[in-house]
Amino acid sequence: METTKTAKILTIVGARPNFMKAAPILAAIRNQNERQALQADPASAGKSRFTLQNVLVHTGQHYDEAMSDRFFADLNIPKPDVHLGVGSGSHAAQTAEIMKRFEEVLLRERPDLLIVVGDVNSTLGCALVAAKISFDAKGTRPLIAHVEAGLRSFDRDMPEEINRILTDHVADLLFVTEESGLRNLRQEGVPDAKVHFVGNTMIDSLLAFKEQANGSNILDRLSLRSRNRGNGSANGTNRYALLTLHRPSNVDEPATFLNILKGLEELSGSCPVIFPAHPRTQKRIAEFGFNQFFSAKDGIQGKEQSSSAGANGSIRMIDPLGYLDFLCLMSHATIVITDSGGIQEETTCLGVPCVTVRENTERPITVKVGTNVLAGTSQEGIRQATRQQLESRVTGAVPERWDGKSAQRILEVICHALEEKAAKVVPIAG
Ligand code: UD1
């Protein structure tokens, strides 16, 4: 008879884009444990002998209510077991602080496996600690699993590109979201046996929460509901654009930021542009004196004047939104303009036209089969790409394995790897 063992997994989250990628994995672990406790799922019989103890670690890279806590509530993520409280800093200071504080946790918890997601400083910092840790004289360390491996923009000026490459090269299990990731890893000499094409856990979250997000009242709070249902889009929503900008290369340099804002003037003259602005971006707007491009920042929640919605043709800046409100706003938007990585994927899945204000993308599938176009950061480039997306009837397909089952695939691979690891550490008699 098989005995059930316990394996300890430590999962890292740190910054906003991590939360929606980790949530489905945490849910899959919970579900597997519940099924195992009940022993009621014949489908899982014989598949895994592990009860998984999960320790959730939040590095605190993002710490505002709007950048962190609200996502835990929206995505049903349990309270972190450990909070490192790292906060902001330069790349070196932030990464070093994450590493120092995480090393103590790793030595105390001694997990069998570490899960890191995405490409933020927390991802690399924690992976690097785990790659060099030693729990005993034999050099025992946890397996390192990287979710969203293999993406490459081939632009090493992006801090995320450095984080991706280095994390992939210390990882033992690499979970890939799209075919380009398989090619990139092969080209870099990562053995195929470590690489698993599982799809996209961020899309697992989108599919799981889409209906709930539709119940958000954000469209009413922003006065975006069409009074005249026949004249708006099919769902009684006014035409509006949704804008996000936060990349240091776009917002930290005044000339580039100004070009982008000028490139958006034609759009903001034709429909309301809703702009939930990242704290970094809000700071830069104040610092560079770019306020003239925006209608007065409103805190929404009933404070906005409905007449201000696009009436003066300027960009309507609001505070960052939670997951469900943002998903609702994205689903109903006529067009999305962004420099985010994840939003290129989410709009592809939703079939919403997307203009990416960057010269490159690490997510080429969104351009190849999805609804995304790259505009660059010149005024004319942004104007042209926006026109093109509004004029053509954009249709896209959903990429392979973006089907809501990615976390489950990941868990199956993880359990298999844990079994192999256990077999090596404690040889099974006979
Ligand atoms: C980080 C990620 C980026 C991701 C983005 C999503 C890295 C290298 N970058 O960039 O890939 O797309 O998160 O938001 O990890 N701030 C606050 N409150 C917060 C968090 C940040 O005010 O809760 C402000 C601080 O002034 C901070 C600045 O935003 O200095 C930048 O934060 P940081 O975590 O360093 O990088 P992001 O630009 O958010």
Side-chain angles (χ1 to χ4, degrees):
M1 205 178 98
E2 284 186 345
T3 52
T4 304
K5 292 182 195 141
T6 299
K8 193 189 263 192
I9 295 181
L10 214 140
T11 306
I12 304 295
V13 290
R16 185 171 61 179
N18 290 161
F19 305 132
M20 49 294 245
K21 293 169 192 169
I25 302 170
L26 300 170
I29 293 174
R30 274 198 307 273
N31 289 343
Q32 169 158 321
N33 284 341
E34 277 167 20
R35 282 201 306 264
Q36 214 134 42
L38 291 169
Q39 292 187 322
D41 181 9
S44 70
K47 268 194 182 169
S48 170
R49 298 170 298 151
F50 283 102
T51 296
L52 301 171
Q53 185 196 347
N54 185 61
V55 178
L56 180 61
V57 178
H58 190 331
T59 64
Q61 177 175 346
H62 285 177
Y63 42 85
D64 285 352
E65 219 283 316
M67 299 294 287
S68 175
D69 299 3
R70 208 181 304 165
F71 287 80
F72 277 71
D74 279 2
L75 292 156
N76 292 331
I77 304 176
K79 211 170 157 289
D81 300 289
V82 182
H83 200 296
L84 302 180
V86 163
S88 300
S90 69
H91 282 273
Q94 186 178 60
T95 311
E97 206 53 49
I98 290 167
M99 291 180 71
K100 262 167 65 185
R101 297 187 193 191
F102 181 57
E103 185 179 45
E104 285 175 27
V105 175
L106 203 55
L107 286 170
R108 188 173 71 231
E109 296 290 343
R110 299 168 68 111
D112 299 289
L113 182 134
L114 173 76
I115 301 178
V116 292
V117 302
D119 56 14
V120 302
N121 287 343
S122 304
T123 311
L124 173 62
C126 295
L128 205 47
V129 173
K132 293 177 157 197
I133 206 95
S134 205
F135 294 150
D136 53 32
K138 285 185 285 178
T140 307
R141 66 160 180 87
L143 291 170
I144 302 167
H146 183 206
V147 175
E148 200 188 80
L151 296 181
R152 298 289 183 267
S153 66
F154 302 101
D155 173 3
R156 292 209 180 189
D157 289 338
M158 273 182 94
E160 292 83 358
E161 183 76 350
I162 306 294
N163 293 344
R164 290 180 201 116
I165 294 170
L166 297 180
T167 304
D168 282 344
H169 284 263
V170 296
D172 303 292
L173 301 171
L174 293 91
F175 295 112
V176 171
T177 55
E178 61 165 278
E179 287 151 355
S180 71
L182 299 173
R183 271 197 309 277
N184 296 334
L185 293 171
R186 202 165 294 143
Q187 266 160 22
E188 289 174 20
V190 177
D192 282 352
K194 290 183 170 186
V195 180
H196 305 271
F197 180 25
V198 293
N200 193 328
T201 62
M202 197 184 58
I203 301 302
D204 288 8
S205 279
L206 184 148
L207 297 174
F209 287 97
K210 201 176 157 202
E211 212 179 298
Q212 201 183 328
N214 257 329
S216 152
N217 63 5
I218 188 68
L219 295 169
D220 301 302
R221 277 147 65 208
L222 291 168
S223 310
L224 293 169
R225 290 270 184 217
S226 169
R227 279 203 202 97
N228 195 342
R229 287 199 160 236
N231 287 344
S233 66
N235 47 43
T237 307
N238 285 329
R239 273 168 58 85
Y240 65 90
L242 177 63
L243 169 69
T244 81
L245 292 170
H246 76 282
R247 293 246 155 257
S249 56
N250 282 345
V251 302
D252 284 1
E253 172 59 42
T256 311
F257 199 177
L258 192 62
N259 262 332
I260 294 172
L261 293 172
K262 287 192 172 162
L264 291 167
E265 276 175 337
E266 186 174 292
L267 177 66
S268 64
S270 72
C271 71
V273 176
I274 310 296
F275 181 33
H278 186 285
R280 165 199 286 285
T281 312
Q282 293 196 24
K283 273 182 210 158
R284 295 294 177 253
I285 290 166
E287 210 176 299
F288 302 153
F290 286 166
N291 295 318
Q292 76 270 20
F293 288 94
F294 306 93
S295 57
K297 186 180 147 220
D298 57 48
I300 58 168
Q301 311 286 6
K303 280 192 216 150
E304 69 278 0
Q305 297 146 11
S306 53
S307 61
S308 74
N312 59 4
S314 64
I315 297 168
R316 191 169 166 198
M317 180 160 57
I318 58 175
D319 282 327
L321 294 170
Y323 183 73
L324 296 173
D325 286 343
F326 190 82
L327 180 50
C328 177
L329 214 47
M330 191 163 44
S331 309
H332 295 286
T334 309
I335 188 166
V336 173
I337 317 282
T338 192
D339 62 4
S340 149
I343 292 172
Q344 298 170 50
E345 299 184 329
E346 288 169 330
T347 47
T348 280
C349 186
L350 293 167
V352 172
C354 178
V355 170
T356 296
V357 185
R358 281 175 50 189
E359 304 294 343
N360 51 53
T361 179
E362 61 287 340
R363 294 159 159 94
I365 196 84
T366 61
V367 176
K368 192 174 162 207
V369 310
T371 55
N372 187 25
V373 297
L374 291 181
T377 56
S378 71
Q379 284 181 47
E380 200 40 36
I382 294 168
R383 219 174 283 134
Q384 286 294 345
T386 305
R387 257 185 233 152
Q388 177 197 322
Q389 288 286 68
L390 286 173
E391 280 162 15
S392 64
R393 285 190 150 264
V394 174
T395 50
V398 176
E400 195 185 344
R401 301 191 200 179
W402 291 18
D403 56 2
K405 296 176 187 157
S406 303
Q408 195 47 49
R409 292 189 189 105
I410 287 172
L411 205 57
E412 279 164 23
V413 174
I414 282 178
C415 287
H416 183 71
L418 287 169
E419 279 179 36
E420 276 189 357
K421 189 178 187 224
K424 270 185 209 153
V425 174
V426 187
I428 294 168

